Amino acid sequence: SNLSMIVFFSDSSYNFEFSYKDFVPGETVTTSWRAEVRDKTKDARAIISFMDRRGNDTTIVIEYHAVSLAIRPEKYDFGMLKIGETKETTFWAINKTKDQDVIIDKFQLKFANANFEILDLAPRFLIPKNDSLKFRVRFTAKEEGEFQDSILMEDTCYNTASAFVKAAVGEPIIWVTDIAFGDLTIGTTLTKDANIRNTGSVDLTITGYSGPTESVYIPQLAGISEQNPLIIKPNAPPWVFNVSFTPTEERQYPDAIIFSSDAVREDSICVLSGRGIKAELVATSLEWPRLRINRPAFPKGPYSHPDLGIVLTNHGSQEVNVTGLKLQKGNINDPAFIFDRNALL
């Protein structure tokens, strides 16, 4: 019997384009038709019925299962790393297709110079249906900056999947202030502060220090070590420490404290400087020869001294302020000496 009707069930079909060549119902024996998937990346179904004039009919169902690929996670941020550090993370290459294996013949990074590296999988491999393969991506921090790349995967039928990766690289920058104690009298102690700043973009880790070599300097830095590092955040308030200076000799004391850290610049040295000085006052003595005593019947004196007075000399390296005179206890017959006793303290 000849064709009478062709029906495309659009309500039950999806992602298919259907067409056929016009025919004369009841007269045309055969005709041509076409069913084409609109989007090959998505599943599709077509339901079509063919009927003749005798009431016979045939219904066909055409199903298309698209290859579905994915990379998980779709995005990954390696975060902030220091120059020289490496970091790895796990990804999965996934074949979500339920009824067929896929051959991946393109598996690569979009850029070749972004410091990312794919590990574990070759550029060409097979993923079984409804299965996945694990691989790693490594980032190596070689220079300061922000980096990004894409992992690209494509099968032999040009089905694709991708994932985005990014990372940032920074460095710590150490700044240590110096301490100048100036002139200080031998035996006295002066304490001053210094500070350490991190003007970089990542944490500064200080694992120790060396110096000072002179015992006259005592820094308050106990506890900093490889096991107990000092960590200073980027642009955090300065970390303050103090150093005491107690000179024991009359001389200059050049020295330094050198900090060990993961910073390669700028200044990790606290320069110490100070000078020990003396305050040394010397008074001349006056001595008279044997002289006759003063008696009412035989008055004698007073006897002046050829030197005319006591001379004070500063033999030290520091200025001396004389604030007065004081008689030493235990003097013998001190009223025999005539001077301005109102100046005594």
Side-chain angles (χ1 to χ4, degrees):
S1 180
N2 297 332
L3 284 171
S4 66
M5 185 181 298
I6 298 175
V7 178
F8 176 68
F9 296 94
S10 58
D11 291 343
S12 303
S13 303
Y14 53 88
N15 197 23
F16 259 107
E17 291 286 352
F18 177 76
S19 62
Y20 59 87
K21 186 178 180 180
D22 289 340
F23 62 93
V24 178
E27 294 182 10
T28 304
V29 178
T30 63
T31 190
S32 60
W33 57 273
R34 180 182 181 85
E36 184 175 0
V37 177
R38 290 196 191 104
D39 184 351
K40 291 182 173 59
T41 65
K42 299 177 182 179
D43 290 347
R45 183 174 65 182
I47 303 175
I48 310 164
S49 288
F50 303 90
M51 292 163 280
D52 62 15
R53 280 297 180 95
R54 292 183 180 181
N56 299 313
D57 67 84
T58 299
T59 299
I60 64 172
V61 177
I62 304 172
E63 289 188 333
Y64 169 80
H65 298 290
V67 172
S68 181
L69 302 176
I71 300 176
R72 296 288 185 271
E74 291 183 340
K75 297 179 181 180
Y76 186 80
D77 185 353
F78 283 81
M80 177 71 76
L81 286 80
K82 296 179 182 179
I83 293 177
E85 287 186 328
T86 61
K87 185 177 180 180
E88 295 179 2
T89 192
T90 299
F91 283 80
W92 295 88
I94 305 170
N95 176 13
K96 297 192 290 183
T97 311
K98 298 179 181 180
D99 56 3
Q100 65 174 329
D101 301 340
V102 294
I103 296 175
I104 303 300
D105 68 349
K106 184 180 289 185
F107 187 65
Q108 64 189 39
L109 290 163
K110 183 176 181 179
F111 305 110
N113 58 351
N115 302 329
F116 295 95
E117 180 183 4
I118 296 176
L119 308 175
D120 307 322
L121 289 179
R124 183 179 175 88
F125 54 91
L126 181 144
I127 309 177
K129 60 185 178 182
N130 203 31
D131 203 353
S132 61
L133 296 178
K134 181 171 71 173
F135 67 95
R136 292 171 296 153
V137 174
R138 175 188 295 157
F139 177 78
T140 302
K142 298 179 180 179
E143 58 187 326
E144 193 170 10
E146 295 184 354
F147 304 87
Q148 62 184 38
D149 210 332
S150 294
I151 307 165
L152 305 178
M153 182 170 68
E154 183 178 293
D155 70 359
T156 53
C157 296
Y158 306 105
N159 298 294
T160 62
S162 64
F164 177 77
V165 289
K166 69 175 183 176
V169 180
E171 66 172 327
I173 300 175
I174 186 172
W175 287 98
V176 184
T177 58
D178 303 327
I179 303 178
F181 287 93
D183 295 340
L184 191 62
T185 304
I186 292 171
T188 60
T189 300
L190 178 63
T191 300
K192 285 191 172 184
D193 291 339
N195 65 71
I196 305 172
R197 292 180 293 126
N198 175 15
T199 60
S201 53
V202 295
D203 290 354
L204 168 66
T205 302
I206 299 174
T207 55
Y209 65 93
S210 60
T213 58
E214 296 277 8
S215 61
V216 296
Y217 293 112
I218 301 178
Q220 300 299 319
L221 291 167
I224 300 177
S225 66
E226 290 274 1
Q227 295 73 32
N228 184 38
L230 170 64
I231 298 176
I232 302 176
K233 296 289 183 182
N235 298 307
W239 189 81
V240 179
F241 66 96
N242 63 64
V243 180
S244 297
F245 173 51
T246 308
T248 57
E249 300 177 48
E250 187 181 10
R251 65 178 178 89
Q252 296 280 356
Y253 288 93
D255 214 327
I257 303 170
I258 303 173
F259 291 91
S260 302
S261 72
D262 57 354
V264 295
R265 59 188 183 103
E266 296 281 341
D267 182 4
S268 61
I269 301 174
C270 174
V271 176
L272 304 174
S273 62
R275 184 174 70 142
I277 58 175
K278 290 181 180 179
E280 187 176 342
L281 183 66
V282 177
T284 58
S285 299
L286 298 179
E287 184 175 353
W288 281 263
R290 292 173 61 87
L291 298 168
R292 295 184 180 277
I293 64 173
N294 180 39
R295 292 179 295 176
F298 302 97
K300 293 290 181 180
Y303 302 99
S304 61
H305 195 280
D307 292 343
L308 301 178
I310 296 173
V311 178
L312 301 177
T313 305
N314 179 10
H315 290 285
S317 53
Q318 181 183 18
E319 182 180 275
V320 176
N321 294 319
V322 179
T323 57
L325 303 173
K326 185 177 181 181
L327 284 175
Q328 195 172 17
K329 292 184 178 180
N331 290 327
I332 301 174
N333 197 23
D334 61 69
F337 296 95
I338 302 172
F339 55 91
D340 185 3
R341 293 176 180 266
N342 292 326
L344 296 183
L345 297 179

